[in-house]
Amino acid sequence: MHQYDRRRFFKRMMLGASAVVLAGCDKLSNSQTFTGLLKTGESFSKNARGLLNNPKSMAQEFSEADLSPSFRSNGTSMPNSAEYIALEKNNFVDWSLEVNGLVEKPLKLTLADIQALPSRTQITRHDCVEGWSAIGKWTGTPLHEILDLAKPLTKAQYVVFYCADPMNDDGTDKYYESIDMVDALHAQTILAYKLNGETLPVKNGAPIRLRVERQLGYKQAKYIMRIELVEKLDHIAQGKGGYWEDSAGYEWYAGI
Amino acid sequence: MFIYRHKLPTRIMHWINVTCFIVLFMTGLNIFNAHSALNIGKSSYNGLAPVFEIKSRQNSKGELIGVTNILGYEFNTTGVLGASTGPNGNMIKRGFPSWLTIPGPKWLAMARHWHFFFAWLFVINGASYLTHSFLSKHVQRDLLVNKKDRASFWQSVKDHARFKHPTGEDAIPYNVLQKIAYLSVIFILLPLIILMGMAMSPFLNSLIPGWVDLFGGRQTARTIHFIVAWLLVGFVFIHVFEVIITGLWNNIRSMITGQYYIDTSHKKGQ
């Protein structure tokens, strides 16, 4: 995941465009019409997922022998917020997960409450959008167990995850992500609190992180504080459904 | 004498393919730059060192240098791989240089949008080409290796080595090496690169769990995708070279208007 500096790009485009065609391509990349056309590729992929249909297809699970010696941390490795630092100091005893939005029964669950629910352990491969993969053993509560308690209203279409980690040094722009109900209710979609049999380390998202195994790494939100069920994503931040979707233009559907 | 060499659909699909290939290759290098190492296996962190890696570091004088590691052998590739000239004329850390990537700057999200859009176009175009070429008997008549080709194999190898090519009416059918090159690209390399691209998709992995391991795992698939891309670049270079030495304008015209000129003045026995 990379921060992208628009100003530097413009400068670069002005000064560094040695070939006309390539400069043309870069210009096209900044044209809304053209990038809109390019993004039809994404809706093709999303629709192909519908056609190939298997909302319940299972991500591959691996054996202990495949585990990566150390699970790489990417993005935030220690959230830079006073609130999180205080929670972490106290081993997340004071932490709780809020579940609200379009639900019959809003919830506030402690870590102990979540761990008391049925759990699932899965050895899966984490595929970063950058290209690398790491294999880890995750233990957590299936999201559908929590949603069963909260009872989503029928008009709820998306589940939004609000995280504790600010993406800017000044503490603003906290990470967030969203998935649709197909992935939310999938058997392998869990809120993980253990990695490789140990308490989830801070660098990997303590106290809980999302595992949504049929999508890329940036969907696997870490440091989750609140879950909201919504009908539409447009009113959240800039409306693209996730921090990287809004800030850098990554696809919301990250199955490719 | 002019003959009608390439049918209209073949010509259109050829140039769509050219565009797709260039864009896919150059956006692919931009995507590669986001993690400029290739591994073998199911994950990148399995205790095995990368088989290929582009890195940068400071030399003893404190200057930024680019280093490429292939199977444990290190090469200084400053200026092209690992460290190349940035927008302000200074050296910056970068896998492949900006003149080889679309977009020029490091921009993974945009490179992916380009790559997947052109990947769809490329696949649809390829499927149309195959359908058309089988139905019109282009594959059966012009591409498949026949008895005469098998007999002329070694002669064709010798001729190519001396840059000697058939002229006159003999230049109408593809020669045996040409056929083998086209068949390998159409039926081996292109399907393989598409499949290895699909092998990197977590959703497509889930449709038949474990299928990616038939190719050695996701990271091996990424490595194969990269190698095949360069093999295709190699094919393009040889293809363009052959186009140039066997009559640049005649060949290009035949791929634009379909008209191909053959010199019949030296016909034997007349």
Side-chain angles (χ1 to χ4, degrees):
Chain A
M1 298 192 268
H2 296 284
Q3 221 129 9
Y4 153 66
D5 184 337
R6 191 170 293 265
R7 220 174 314 149
R8 216 166 67 201
F9 167 57
F10 274 118
K11 221 186 221 172
R12 193 193 168 91
M13 205 175 83
M14 298 303 177
L15 297 170
S18 51
V20 180
V21 179
L22 295 187
C25 287
D26 289 351
K27 268 189 189 136
L28 285 174
S29 299
N30 280 315
S31 136
Q32 284 213 336
T33 327
F34 187 75
T35 53
L37 174 72
L38 288 182
K39 283 172 190 168
T40 55
E42 185 192 354
S43 38
F44 248 74
S45 306
K46 230 192 291 179
N47 293 336
R49 177 180 71 147
L51 280 179
L52 292 168
N53 185 9
N54 206 336
K56 288 187 177 157
S57 71
M58 296 288 272
Q60 186 178 1
E61 296 197 16
F62 298 83
S63 73
E64 303 259 348
D66 297 319
L67 288 175
S68 297
S70 140
F71 199 91
R72 178 171 169 177
S73 163
N74 212 30
T76 310
S77 55
M78 175 65 204
N80 174 29
S81 87
E83 186 194 12
Y84 183 85
I85 292 165
L87 290 169
E88 196 261 325
K89 219 172 224 167
N90 212 3
N91 278 324
F92 302 105
V93 186
D94 317 310
W95 174 89
S96 65
L97 175 72
E98 273 188 82
V99 183
N100 54 27
L102 300 175
V103 292
E104 269 177 46
K105 237 184 95 189
L107 306 170
K108 204 165 185 178
L109 303 167
T110 65
L111 196 50
D113 293 338
I114 291 172
Q115 288 171 343
L117 291 167
S119 76
R120 189 178 201 281
T121 296
Q122 58 204 30
I123 300 178
T124 52
R125 198 188 59 222
H126 176 100
D127 298 329
C128 179
V129 67
E130 294 169 351
W132 53 268
S133 311
I135 294 176
K137 181 165 91 171
W138 304 96
T139 302
T141 306
L143 183 58
H144 65 78
E145 295 283 351
I146 291 169
L147 295 183
D148 279 352
L149 295 176
K151 296 192 172 52
L153 302 176
T154 44
K155 62 178 174 179
Q157 298 290 317
Y158 299 97
V159 183
V160 186
F161 302 87
Y162 296 95
C163 306
D165 52 328
M167 299 305 285
N168 298 331
D169 291 340
D170 63 2
T172 57
D173 272 351
K174 288 186 178 159
Y175 202 82
Y176 72 99
E177 257 305 340
S178 62
I179 57 177
D180 63 13
M181 295 308 281
V182 170
D183 270 319
L185 300 175
H186 187 265
Q188 287 169 316
T189 300
I190 62 173
L191 297 180
Y193 45 76
K194 275 187 184 177
L195 170 59
N196 296 338
E198 311 279 335
T199 304
L200 184 63
V202 167
K203 69 178 175 113
N204 300 110
I208 58 164
R209 84 172 300 172
L210 175 68
R211 294 304 309 167
V212 45
E213 303 291 2
R214 298 177 304 172
Q215 297 205 44
L216 295 173
Y218 63 88
K219 301 299 281 190
Q220 329 289 331
K222 305 196 275 193
Y223 318 110
I224 300 172
M225 302 296 286
R226 180 162 78 92
I227 292 176
E228 186 189 14
L229 281 90
V230 298
E231 191 182 355
K232 282 182 178 150
L233 297 170
D234 16 333
H235 65 284
I236 298 156
Q238 290 162 55
K240 301 268 170 60
Y243 175 77
W244 288 111
E245 289 88 328
D246 274 339
S247 63
Y250 285 101
E251 298 92 346
W252 175 81
Y253 173 61
I256 306 288
Chain B
M1 167 179 105
F2 279 99
I3 60 153
Y4 186 59
R5 191 170 210 194
H6 302 293
K7 293 203 170 91
L8 180 65
T10 309
R11 284 178 270 143
I12 294 172
M13 291 186 283
H14 173 267
W15 294 113
I16 293 176
N17 202 46
V18 170
T19 311
C20 288
F21 182 72
I22 293 171
V23 172
L24 285 167
F25 181 70
M26 297 180 75
T27 55
L29 293 183
N30 193 311
I31 294 169
F32 171 89
N33 277 356
H35 177 67
S36 58
L38 296 173
N39 280 76
I40 296 295
K42 298 168 187 173
S43 82
S44 315
Y45 304 100
N46 53 4
L48 300 174
V51 290
F52 178 80
E53 190 173 13
I54 303 176
K55 293 181 285 194
S56 63
R57 62 164 176 257
Q58 310 237 308
N59 67 9
S60 52
K61 289 181 210 149
E63 298 158 338
L64 191 68
I65 58 164
V67 173
T68 302
N69 190 312
I70 305 171
L71 298 168
Y73 296 94
E74 230 178 58
F75 303 92
N76 184 328
T77 48
T78 310
V80 185
L81 305 179
S84 47
T85 315
N88 303 323
N90 52 337
M91 278 289 174
I92 55 162
K93 290 182 187 182
R94 234 190 115 91
F96 287 95
S98 63
W99 52 267
L100 258 181
T101 67
I102 295 175
K106 182 172 187 161
W107 193 354
L108 176 59
M110 187 53 70
R112 280 169 55 86
H113 288 310
W114 280 80
H115 201 75
F116 300 144
F117 177 84
F118 281 91
W120 274 109
L121 191 60
F122 174 70
V123 166
I124 293 166
N125 188 57
S128 313
Y129 170 83
L130 285 180
T131 311
H132 173 261
S133 298
F134 274 107
L135 291 181
S136 70
K137 303 249 187 311
H138 178 41
V139 173
Q140 299 90 319
R141 214 173 29 219
D142 305 323
L143 289 175
L144 289 185
V145 174
N146 58 34
K147 221 184 224 170
K148 212 176 127 201
D149 292 325
R150 279 193 288 271
S152 66
F153 181 80
W154 290 111
Q155 189 56 46
S156 185
V157 172
K158 281 185 218 158
D159 288 348
H160 275 84
R162 293 189 208 115
F163 307 126
K164 210 178 106 190
H165 291 89
T167 50
E169 279 179 7
D170 294 341
I172 299 174
Y174 296 147
N175 66 63
V176 60
L177 292 194
Q178 191 177 12
K179 285 183 176 181
I180 292 170
Y182 293 165
L183 289 170
S184 314
V185 167
I186 296 165
F187 293 100
I188 300 172
L189 295 184
L190 294 182
L192 186 61
I193 203 166
I194 294 166
L195 198 62
M196 293 302 95
M198 293 165 79
M200 284 185 266
S201 151
F203 173 70
L204 293 176
N205 280 199
S206 75
L207 289 180
I208 310 170
W211 75 267
V212 178
D213 290 353
L214 298 176
F215 297 92
R218 181 180 193 256
Q219 290 302 317
T220 308
R222 184 169 177 263
T223 302
I224 298 173
H225 192 74
F226 182 88
I227 292 171
V228 176
W230 283 97
L231 290 177
L232 288 167
V233 169
F235 164 79
V236 169
F237 272 101
I238 295 170
H239 179 62
V240 171
F241 175 77
E242 294 288 340
V243 163
I244 293 169
I245 66 167
T246 58
L248 178 62
W249 298 116
N250 194 26
N251 282 315
I252 289 184
R253 180 181 48 226
S254 75
M255 202 38 99
I256 294 171
T257 67
Q259 298 297 318
Y260 184 72
Y261 179 77
I262 53 166
D263 185 0
T264 46
S265 56
H266 309 297
K267 236 182 190 176
K268 283 176 230 155
Q270 276 188 352

